[in-house]
Amino acid sequence: MEYDFPITRTTHPRPRPEDESKLGFARYFTDHMFAMEWDEGIGWHDGRVVPNEPILIDPASCVLHYAQMAFEGMKAYRTPSGEIQLFRPDMNVKRLARTNERMCMPSIPGDLYIAAIKAVIKEDADWIPVSPGTALYIRPFIFGDEPSFSVLPAKHYRFLIILSPTGSYYAANDGGLSATRIYVQDEYIRAARGGTGYAKVGGNYGGGMRASKDAMLYDCKDVLWLDAAEHRFVEEIGTSNAFFRIGDEVITAPLDSGTILPGITRDSVIQILKSWGVKVSERRLDIADVLRASVDGSLKEIFASGTAAVISPIGTLNYKGTDYGVADGEVGELAQKLYDTLYGIQTGSVEDSFGWTYKLGIFR
Ligand code: COI
């Protein structure tokens, strides 16, 4: 289906970042956003591109009290030939559908979702950064805004897409890769079986902030979550999935517990590693085995993977106040190669033999 959304252009352009090689993560937002509403009996309606401005919301809105919401994270890149492209947007469509189902929210047809992204990116295409390590971060989100204190699904929803020129989440000041310190969280938990761990919902992250704050006491940038039942098996990192290279095997937590976010970068990393003939296992991994491997030297690498994090090497784990080094504490060879390949495919400088990129067009 063809969509033709009305556009209202801003009369107050936002300040542009002065140096796009020092963007940080989501500190700037572009001039426009996409907005659309859902009503019972009508479905999604009134899709439009409007100035990115504060929105009015009823203080009794369901989302403000019971967190009925879903979000996605994607990026747009400008290739050397000027084309703007997305990375595996079909995967975001599917993941959002699963999250919406879990949160009792209306699904969005894939073609409408992609058309909405295209419409707002077309308007703000000149915000797409091109310095190494940067991209235009896309944050689509849905929330229930029916004014109601009933703990029941709302009858009215809003869908917005906002955009941010950004560097990667854990990037070094120069935008390049640097090894991060991560705190192993053995007190609080992120997700239990039957919960919302596999869904992309704000509550998963809001509930994790206390742990991230504690991690900072140990000079760590984020946490490595352990499983909820035994506080023993590695799950994921605050913002991203986690990979452990021990000996000749690369291990990441399996998705079957329903407690792990099915990362699109996670899936891509698994496929790329397999294409290189690297042994990759989706299996449970005891934190004790990771620490033992650190001590005996078989822990070669740990890295995080995610849309925001891209590939972020971990140089040190802190467990109960003790530092455990990951090899020499520097950026691992596989992490660097994965980053170069993945970011290269995303930005069009490496051939996309997987068919993952989705061209939006050349908008100036
Ligand atoms: C993303 O990687 O897109 C995310 O949504 C992670 C976010 C918590 C920074």
Side-chain angles (χ1 to χ4, degrees), residues 202-223:
N204 289 347
Y205 298 86
M209 285 176 189
R210 173 62 199 268
S212 311
K213 194 167 156 247
D214 285 4
M216 289 173 195
L217 298 173
Y218 296 89
D219 198 24
C220 290
K221 278 202 182 158
D222 219 323
V223 296

Side-chain angles (χ1 to χ4, degrees), residues 229-296:
E230 298 180 69
H231 293 210
R232 188 175 152 197
F233 298 101
V234 299
E235 295 240 309
E236 60 183 69
I237 289 171
T239 62
S240 35
N241 296 114
F243 285 82
F244 300 80
R245 182 179 167 205
I246 301 179
D248 63 359
E249 184 186 15
V250 177
I251 306 153
T252 192
L255 300 180
D256 55 8
S257 62
T259 61
I260 304 290
L261 189 84
I264 293 151
T265 315
R266 172 189 181 278
D267 181 80
S268 310
V269 164
I270 292 172
Q271 290 197 50
I272 294 173
L273 288 176
K274 285 187 177 164
S275 77
W276 291 343
V278 175
K279 181 178 175 199
V280 196
S281 310
E282 294 176 73
R283 67 170 177 85
R284 298 187 94 188
L285 174 61
D286 197 317
I287 186 65
D289 292 333
V290 178
L291 302 180
R292 206 172 297 122
S294 160
V295 173
D296 73 20

Side-chain angles (χ1 to χ4, degrees), residues 347-364:
T347 51
S349 65
V350 169
E351 195 198 327
D352 175 15
S353 54
F354 296 92
W356 284 338
T357 49
Y358 180 94
K359 303 221 178 306
L360 287 181
I362 300 180
F363 317 127
R364 295 272 173 206

Side-chain angles (χ1 to χ4, degrees), residues 25 71-74 137 139 169 200 205 238-240 306-309:
F25 179 70
F71 74 96
E72 269 301 324
M74 305 169 70
Y137 187 75
R139 176 56 68 87
Y169 196 90
K200 208 150 172 64
Y205 298 86
T239 62
S240 35
T307 301

